[in-house]
Amino acid sequence: MSLDALRSAVPDYARDLRLNLDSVIGNSGLTAQQLWGTVLATAIASRSPLVLRELAPEAKANLSPEAYTAARSAAAVMAVNNVFHRTRHLLSDHEYGNLRTGLRMNVIGNPGVDRVDFELWSFAVSAVNGCGLCLDAHEQVLRKAGVDREVIQEAFKIASVIQAVGCTLEAEAVLAEIE
């Protein structure tokens, strides 16, 4: 499979997802590195083996080895950060926010690619994982770096569509087994 096959696998009742997939990947205003890094990082964050299996080869073909690794690193470090910071934020005892984090996040300081691209991928993964604090933090860094809101919105549009395609196809796989 590929992007075309993934698109074809989307059931007719979710044809809007097919159109959205074409739109966010085929008509993106992002650079190729920003686009495919966002696609890869959010495919990983979607936790859908099917989506990742189909999109990772295309991402790899469109990214340098360094960017391919950095997008994977963004997904990995945000998997930790999003749970940690979302939990601290949701706890009613705000004293947890004053405690030392104590978690390694070295890749954030040296991602091996343009810092803005890494922040964009981290932002997109944070959208999938639903961490408001991380979304705000990454959005502020991106805005301070001069990134337009439209570019940031492109990242969370990609995240939204990749997540929705993953949910839909995983549900279809389960339903096919029981119907």
Side-chain angles (χ1 to χ4, degrees):
M1 238 195 257
S2 63
L3 179 57
D4 291 335
L6 188 63
R7 188 182 309 109
S8 297
V10 173
D12 286 339
Y13 70 80
R15 67 180 160 270
D16 286 338
L17 293 180
R18 232 183 276 139
L19 297 170
N20 289 331
L21 196 56
D22 284 339
S23 176
V24 299
I25 294 177
N27 298 317
S28 176
L30 301 178
T31 67
Q33 179 165 295
Q34 289 171 339
L35 170 66
W36 287 103
T38 302
V39 168
L40 179 60
T42 57
I44 293 168
S46 78
R47 297 174 185 85
S48 169
L50 177 62
V51 168
L52 183 57
R53 199 175 297 118
E54 301 314 322
L55 293 178
E58 291 203 36
K60 191 171 192 173
N62 285 283
L63 292 169
S64 68
E66 295 80 14
Y68 185 76
T69 298
R72 293 164 61 194
S73 296
V77 73
M78 288 300 105
V80 172
N81 283 353
N82 294 158
V83 171
F84 182 85
H85 290 292
R86 184 177 62 237
T87 301
R88 279 196 345 182
H89 175 72
L90 292 172
L91 288 169
S92 59
D93 183 349
H94 297 289
E95 286 302 311
Y96 286 99
N98 296 325
L99 299 177
R100 184 177 168 280
T101 303
L103 297 171
R104 301 271 181 196
M105 298 173 264
N106 294 329
V107 72
I108 293 173
N110 186 19
V113 294
D114 182 82
R115 178 95 174 155
V116 166
D117 292 352
F118 191 82
E119 286 290 335
L120 193 68
W121 303 336
S122 298
F123 173 85
V125 170
S126 297
V128 171
N129 292 333
C131 180
L133 288 176
C134 295
L135 283 167
D136 283 342
H138 293 293
E139 191 264 350
Q140 288 172 13
V141 169
L142 290 164
R143 294 291 292 144
K144 284 181 185 171
V147 178
D148 293 334
R149 285 181 179 88
E150 292 80 9
V151 169
I152 295 168
Q153 182 170 292
E154 282 291 315
F156 66 84
K157 282 171 52 178
I158 292 166
S160 301
V161 172
I162 297 295
Q163 176 69 8
V165 169
C167 286
T168 301
L169 295 180
E170 294 303 315
E172 283 299 301
V174 171
L175 292 172
E177 292 174 8
I178 62 174
E179 290 179 347

